[in-house]
Amino acid sequence: LEEAAFQLQQIFRIDISIALNILGIESMRAGHCRMAFTCFKLAADRGYSKAQFNVGLCYEHGRGTEKDLEKAGFYYCQAASSRHPMAQYRYARYLLQHGPGSPRDRQHKAVALLEQAAGAGITEAQAYLGVFYMRGLQPQEKRGLKYLLQAANSGDAQSRFHVGVCYEQGLGVQQNLAEALRHYRQSAAAGNRQARERLRA
């Protein structure tokens, strides 16, 4: 009986968190940012990772509450520790730009989080890693191209442009101008200005 009661308690706690998070989303859509933040915060403080991520967004952008990047980082960290992929991406970006500790430690932790988020299919993380590995102090071009291709195949026109650059310049792949043109054309068709300029050049 005690076990059954505990299970019911857990289900009830999760259901309330889900309901609060949904109410928060609907409130945000209706323009009631303060109400949305309150709902997200209540659910987040019950340990619901989706709500923790939403609280992070509220603090990062100052929606429904004062802008506070440190608090945003805290909530992204909580959601990331529950393997919320977009929170992993956001927390990694926070670590790289504002996080505590030595730059080397922050970068190491951030890259691990970005790799997890990219593996979960987060296009932004794939694109970020692609550029990161291409432009780092010790470039890893093949690795960078792998992530750029993943992001490009997920529809990211900017990453498609960067893949074109890789083929044009032979970065991480054998130089192939025809392949570079193909990627530039796809990127330009998706609205990328740099790709259009490169095609004209």
Side-chain angles (χ1 to χ4, degrees):
L1 271 173
E2 278 181 29
E3 178 63 24
F6 176 75
Q7 292 295 332
L8 276 173
Q9 205 172 24
Q10 292 298 99
I11 290 165
F12 185 63
R13 187 172 67 87
I14 291 166
D15 283 350
I16 286 176
S17 299
I18 292 168
L20 283 166
N21 193 56
I22 292 168
L23 186 59
I25 291 166
E26 292 304 316
S27 297
M28 193 63 81
R29 282 187 186 141
H32 305 300
C33 297
R34 281 204 178 280
M35 167 72 99
F37 174 75
T38 301
C39 292
F40 291 146
K41 185 86 164 51
L42 285 167
D45 292 344
R46 291 170 163 270
Y48 187 50
S49 64
K50 289 182 180 179
Q52 290 166 340
F53 172 71
N54 287 331
V55 170
L57 284 175
C58 288
Y59 276 124
E60 183 178 359
H61 299 292
R63 298 189 72 193
T65 187
E66 298 238 347
K67 192 172 183 175
D68 188 325
L69 293 179
E70 200 172 314
K71 286 181 181 175
F74 172 79
Y75 280 97
Y76 286 149
C77 178
Q78 289 206 319
S81 68
S82 297
R83 300 197 177 281
H84 187 290
M86 193 50 119
Q88 291 171 329
Y89 166 71
R90 292 275 184 169
Y91 186 53
R93 293 287 303 269
Y94 169 79
L95 283 174
L96 290 170
Q97 294 165 12
H98 311 285
S102 75
R104 185 183 171 89
D105 289 343
R106 289 194 335 247
Q107 182 173 310
H108 182 73
K109 187 172 182 178
V111 168
L113 287 166
L114 287 166
E115 297 258 2
Q116 289 172 34
I122 302 299
T123 305
E124 294 91 332
Q126 294 163 349
Y128 196 95
L129 277 173
V131 173
F132 175 83
Y133 282 126
M134 284 291 177
R135 294 183 179 166
L137 291 173
Q138 297 175 312
Q140 297 176 49
E141 292 168 353
K142 284 188 178 177
R143 201 168 195 176
L145 179 60
K146 178 188 96 166
Y147 284 111
L148 287 173
L149 275 168
Q150 285 178 6
N153 292 335
S154 296
D156 185 52
Q158 185 66 28
S159 292
R160 181 71 65 192
F161 167 75
H162 286 306
V163 171
V165 172
C166 290
Y167 275 101
E168 184 180 2
Q169 297 180 7
L171 303 171
V173 69
Q174 190 170 356
Q175 189 177 34
N176 184 330
L177 295 181
E179 194 65 10
L181 275 171
R182 186 174 76 81
H183 287 286
Y184 287 147
R185 284 189 187 111
Q186 286 181 10
S187 179
N192 186 275
R193 184 180 49 78
Q194 286 177 291
R196 284 198 296 266
E197 288 171 4
R198 197 77 202 100
L199 283 169
R200 279 198 294 272

